[in-house]
Amino acid sequence: MTVEDRTVVGLKAQLSKFSGIISRRFKKPKKRLIKEMVYGIQASKDVKLSNISRTLKEDQALIKTEDRLSRNLGDEDFTDAINEEIMRLSASKVTEDMVIAIDPGIFERSTPRRWNFWGRCGWE
């Protein structure tokens, strides 16, 4: 087993553990979907289903994997349940004296031109 293979196995194990924690309220098929989506987004560094499907490297046609992911994502909204789990996990680590800082540079876009001040806040 190469170093790269060990890294992939370790990463998959960590992502599997994390996705298992945040998806504990769901049934087994939805847990699998969340695990695959978390891994696919991390591995492909993209949120497009086609790129996520490629990273899963399943033994079936790419379009079949995309359709399955799309169909399962459309069944129900996972947002509230996953957000609640993440907040539950992080609640003990956030204190009142902490400051949340957001770098507006990550929101800057080079085009279109009218978006140059998109990151401005009202108090600036």
Side-chain angles (χ1 to χ4, degrees):
M1 185 179 260
T2 67
V3 174
E4 186 176 299
D5 290 338
R6 281 190 227 127
T7 303
V8 169
V9 169
L11 175 65
K12 279 188 175 183
Q14 288 176 352
L15 290 174
S16 181
K17 181 179 177 183
F18 174 72
S19 65
I21 292 169
I22 64 171
S23 65
R24 69 183 190 149
R25 297 181 185 187
F26 299 105
K27 294 184 178 176
K28 192 173 182 178
K30 297 302 177 190
K31 285 183 180 187
R32 177 182 172 212
L33 171 70
I34 292 169
K35 180 174 113 178
E36 289 176 343
M37 291 299 296
V38 169
Y39 172 75
I41 291 169
Q42 178 70 30
S44 69
K45 298 179 182 152
D46 197 358
V47 293
K48 293 180 199 155
L49 287 179
S50 58
N51 293 334
I52 292 169
S53 299
R54 276 187 195 91
T55 62
L56 296 177
K57 298 177 183 172
E58 294 185 348
D59 291 335
Q60 60 186 1
L62 182 65
I63 191 70
K64 297 285 188 183
T65 304
E66 283 182 54
D67 288 344
R68 178 179 58 82
L69 293 176
S70 178
R71 186 179 59 251
N72 287 330
L73 284 170
D75 285 348
E76 65 182 284
D77 187 9
F78 304 110
T79 310
D80 291 335
I82 291 175
N83 283 344
E84 286 175 18
E85 286 301 316
I86 290 172
M87 287 188 298
R88 184 186 62 79
L89 290 170
S90 60
S92 63
K93 296 166 180 61
V94 177
T95 61
E96 285 190 32
D97 60 331
M98 287 187 171
V99 176
I100 297 176
I102 300 172
D103 178 11
I106 63 173
F107 298 112
E108 288 180 12
R109 300 186 189 264
S110 57
T111 58
R113 190 180 228 170
R114 66 178 185 261
W115 287 11
N116 287 344
F117 302 104
W118 189 62
R120 276 207 173 153
C121 295
W123 59 83
E124 286 185 24

